């Protein structure tokens, strides 16, 4: 999450016009961005596989896992602030609550999708986020897209349909979680863009408020959906050392 926010920060920076004396710096800058993007891809794959292993072999409670993600993200943001990676920008909490709730929904639902679907199905259905964002921005924000952009949606939808139709481990509940996850994720992405424009802030400045609010939001509903002190809950199960090591390792990877 932190690395994605950093990439978002790089994208929002105003480009500087180059002079003839700057080609080496430009090459280094492009190399740095390419390395960051490659690291983002590698860590994204790693966290999916680690989380799937935690769900499959250790049956770790889903919402509790999400809350732990948010807590570690909050700690990471505090560390980045202390190191001067970004400057805190004052924003009204009332404006942060809706986007934090969608942040909760998108992480919880995508984790539930990962838990109940195969990794392949989980990843492919996530690809529907792009077409969904296009629809939301067209219907509710009066944004237009070129015909070429719209045509790219067709193979995405076709690929998702074919995968779902021929998936030997088709799971109706998993597909419902995945579909809801796509809708909430798309709404979240649209709102992030709108809030960044509204408050003139970057992704890390926004995440600094989202993460703790989302952790509190998930923590308040965990007792209604998951055991806490009984068997299967975070405090009611004697987790093995292997499970805890994988859990901590995945947390160290997730904040990319």
């Amino acid at each position: 999450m932190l690395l994605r926010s950093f990439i978002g920060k790089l994208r929002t920076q105003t480009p500087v016009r180059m002079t003839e004396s700057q080609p080496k710096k430009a090459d280094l800058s492009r190399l740095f961005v390419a390395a960051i993007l490659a690291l983002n891809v590698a860590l994204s794959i790693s966290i999916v596989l680690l989380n799937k292993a935690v769900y499959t072999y250790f049956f770790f409670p889903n919402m509790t896992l999400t809350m732990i993600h948010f807590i570690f993200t909050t700690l990471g943001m505090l560390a980045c602030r202390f190191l001067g990676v970004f400057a805190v920008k004052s924003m009204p909490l009332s404006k942060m609550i809706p986007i934090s709730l969608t942040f909760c929904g998108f992480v919880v639902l995508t984790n539930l999708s990962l838990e109940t679907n195969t990794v392949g199905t989980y990843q492919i259905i996530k690809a529907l986020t792009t077409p969904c964002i296009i629809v939301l921005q067209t219907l509710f924000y009066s944004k237009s897209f070129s015909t070429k952009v719209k045509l790219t949606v067709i193979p995405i939808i076709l690929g998702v349909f074919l995968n779902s139709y021929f998936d030997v481990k088709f799971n109706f509940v998993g597909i419902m979680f995945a579909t809801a996850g796509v809708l909430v994720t798309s709404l979240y992405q649209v709102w992030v863009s709108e809030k960044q424009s509204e408050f003139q802030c970057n992704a890390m400045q926004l995440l600094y408020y989202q993460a703790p609010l989302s952790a509190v939001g998930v923590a308040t509903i965990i007792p209604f959906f998951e055991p806490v002190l009984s068997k299967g809950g975070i405090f009611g199960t004697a987790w093995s050392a292997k499970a805890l090591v994988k859990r901590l390792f995945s947390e160290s990877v997730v904040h990319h």
Side-chain angles (χ1 to χ4, degrees):
M1 293 179 185
L2 297 183
L3 185 55
R4 288 175 183 170
S5 298
F6 180 67
I7 293 172
K9 182 181 178 182
L10 289 177
R11 289 173 177 169
T12 56
Q13 290 178 342
T14 303
V16 179
R17 182 176 294 177
M18 288 195 303
T19 63
E20 293 182 0
S21 62
Q22 294 178 312
K24 289 185 178 180
K25 288 184 177 180
D27 289 339
L28 288 174
S29 177
R30 284 193 289 267
L31 184 61
F32 175 72
V33 172
I36 292 293
L37 290 173
L39 180 60
N40 181 57
V41 171
L43 291 177
S44 294
I45 294 171
S46 298
I47 188 59
V48 168
L49 296 177
L50 282 168
N51 277 352
K52 185 64 175 178
V54 169
Y55 291 139
T56 303
Y57 300 111
F58 304 108
F59 307 103
F60 204 88
N62 189 289
M63 290 187 182
T64 301
L65 175 63
T66 302
M67 183 190 68
I68 294 173
H69 282 176
F70 290 145
I71 291 172
F72 272 78
T73 300
T74 301
L75 294 175
M77 296 308 299
L78 291 172
C80 288
R81 177 188 178 182
F82 178 77
L83 295 172
V85 176
F86 69 96
V88 176
K89 190 164 187 177
S90 178
M91 296 182 225
L93 286 180
S94 60
K95 296 283 187 178
M96 293 297 103
I97 291 175
I99 194 172
S100 296
L101 291 176
T102 57
F103 191 34
C104 291
F106 122 63
V107 177
V108 168
L109 289 168
T110 52
N111 279 347
L112 285 169
S113 172
L114 178 60
E115 182 180 4
T116 52
N117 291 309
T118 63
V119 172
T121 297
Y122 162 80
Q123 291 284 40
I124 288 175
I125 294 181
K126 274 181 66 177
L128 286 175
T129 301
T130 299
C132 193
I133 288 174
I134 292 175
V135 171
L136 287 175
Q137 290 186 323
T138 300
L139 293 178
F140 300 103
Y141 294 92
S142 302
K143 292 187 178 181
S144 58
F145 297 88
S146 67
T147 302
K148 290 182 178 180
V149 171
K150 293 176 182 177
L151 288 175
T152 61
V153 170
I154 297 175
I156 295 175
I157 296 174
L158 181 61
V160 172
F161 171 77
L162 290 175
N163 176 81
S164 301
Y165 186 78
F166 292 105
D167 188 357
V168 294
K169 293 185 178 180
F170 180 82
N171 184 328
F172 179 77
V173 174
I175 295 298
M176 291 299 99
F177 281 139
T179 303
V182 166
L183 294 173
V184 177
T185 300
S186 302
L187 180 60
Y188 168 74
Q189 297 287 357
V190 171
W191 279 3
V192 164
S193 177
E194 292 298 316
K195 293 302 178 184
Q196 285 183 265
S197 176
E198 179 181 350
F199 296 111
Q200 293 298 298
C201 63
N202 59 46
M204 297 190 81
Q205 290 171 323
L206 198 58
L207 187 59
Y208 181 78
Y209 287 92
Q210 286 175 232
L213 288 173
S214 298
V216 172
V218 174
T220 58
I221 63 172
I222 285 176
F224 298 99
F225 294 95
E226 293 178 352
V228 177
L229 300 176
S230 57
K231 186 177 179 180
I234 184 66
F235 298 118
T237 302
W239 301 103
S240 67
K242 186 177 180 180
L244 293 175
V245 167
K246 281 198 172 185
R247 181 68 263 125
L248 290 173
F249 184 64
S250 71
E251 291 304 333
S252 68
V253 172
V254 72
H255 307 298
H256 54 286

mmCIF file of all heavy atoms in Angstrom, residues 62 71 91 191 221 239:
data_model
loop_
_atom_site.group_PDB
_atom_site.id
_atom_site.type_symbol
_atom_site.label_atom_id
_atom_site.label_comp_id
_atom_site.label_asym_id
_atom_site.label_seq_id
_atom_site.Cartn_x
_atom_site.Cartn_y
_atom_site.Cartn_z
ATOM 1 N N ASN A 62 -10.699 -13.612 8.399
ATOM 2 C CA ASN A 62 -10.529 -12.669 7.300
ATOM 3 C C ASN A 62 -10.526 -11.205 7.747
ATOM 4 O O ASN A 62 -9.613 -10.445 7.408
ATOM 5 C CB ASN A 62 -11.636 -12.899 6.273
ATOM 6 C CG ASN A 62 -11.420 -12.107 5.005
ATOM 7 O OD1 ASN A 62 -11.558 -10.896 4.994
ATOM 8 N ND2 ASN A 62 -11.058 -12.786 3.928
ATOM 9 N N ILE A 71 -3.599 -1.670 10.528
ATOM 10 C CA ILE A 71 -2.756 -1.241 11.653
ATOM 11 C C ILE A 71 -1.304 -1.099 11.198
ATOM 12 O O ILE A 71 -0.635 -0.100 11.500
ATOM 13 C CB ILE A 71 -2.864 -2.230 12.827
ATOM 14 C CG1 ILE A 71 -4.253 -2.146 13.463
ATOM 15 C CG2 ILE A 71 -1.783 -1.943 13.882
ATOM 16 C CD1 ILE A 71 -4.531 -3.209 14.511
ATOM 17 N N MET A 91 -6.892 17.836 6.727
ATOM 18 C CA MET A 91 -8.120 17.533 5.988
ATOM 19 C C MET A 91 -9.228 17.226 6.977
ATOM 20 O O MET A 91 -8.975 16.615 8.019
ATOM 21 C CB MET A 91 -7.908 16.323 5.061
ATOM 22 C CG MET A 91 -6.896 16.543 3.971
ATOM 23 S SD MET A 91 -6.749 15.082 2.907
ATOM 24 C CE MET A 91 -4.961 14.964 2.766
ATOM 25 N N TRP A 191 -13.193 7.757 -5.946
ATOM 26 C CA TRP A 191 -13.213 8.724 -4.845
ATOM 27 C C TRP A 191 -11.811 9.189 -4.469
ATOM 28 O O TRP A 191 -11.612 10.355 -4.111
ATOM 29 C CB TRP A 191 -13.917 8.112 -3.632
ATOM 30 C CG TRP A 191 -15.407 8.190 -3.729
ATOM 31 C CD1 TRP A 191 -16.129 8.679 -4.786
ATOM 32 C CD2 TRP A 191 -16.372 7.787 -2.748
ATOM 33 N NE1 TRP A 191 -17.487 8.587 -4.533
ATOM 34 C CE2 TRP A 191 -17.657 8.046 -3.289
ATOM 35 C CE3 TRP A 191 -16.272 7.215 -1.492
ATOM 36 C CZ2 TRP A 191 -18.827 7.773 -2.590
ATOM 37 C CZ3 TRP A 191 -17.440 6.931 -0.789
ATOM 38 C CH2 TRP A 191 -18.698 7.208 -1.333
ATOM 39 N N ILE A 221 -16.672 -3.960 13.748
ATOM 40 C CA ILE A 221 -17.627 -4.953 13.227
ATOM 41 C C ILE A 221 -17.116 -6.388 13.356
ATOM 42 O O ILE A 221 -17.886 -7.331 13.154
ATOM 43 C CB ILE A 221 -17.995 -4.668 11.760
ATOM 44 C CG1 ILE A 221 -16.757 -4.793 10.856
ATOM 45 C CG2 ILE A 221 -18.634 -3.294 11.626
ATOM 46 C CD1 ILE A 221 -17.096 -4.704 9.372
ATOM 47 N N TRP A 239 -2.137 -20.226 17.734
ATOM 48 C CA TRP A 239 -1.542 -20.202 16.408
ATOM 49 C C TRP A 239 -0.128 -20.753 16.458
ATOM 50 O O TRP A 239 0.651 -20.464 17.360
ATOM 51 C CB TRP A 239 -1.523 -18.770 15.860
ATOM 52 C CG TRP A 239 -2.883 -18.158 15.778
ATOM 53 C CD1 TRP A 239 -3.432 -17.238 16.623
ATOM 54 C CD2 TRP A 239 -3.890 -18.453 14.813
ATOM 55 N NE1 TRP A 239 -4.714 -16.931 16.245
ATOM 56 C CE2 TRP A 239 -5.026 -17.666 15.130
ATOM 57 C CE3 TRP A 239 -3.952 -19.294 13.705
ATOM 58 C CZ2 TRP A 239 -6.196 -17.690 14.384
ATOM 59 C CZ3 TRP A 239 -5.119 -19.328 12.953
ATOM 60 C CH2 TRP A 239 -6.221 -18.535 13.300
#
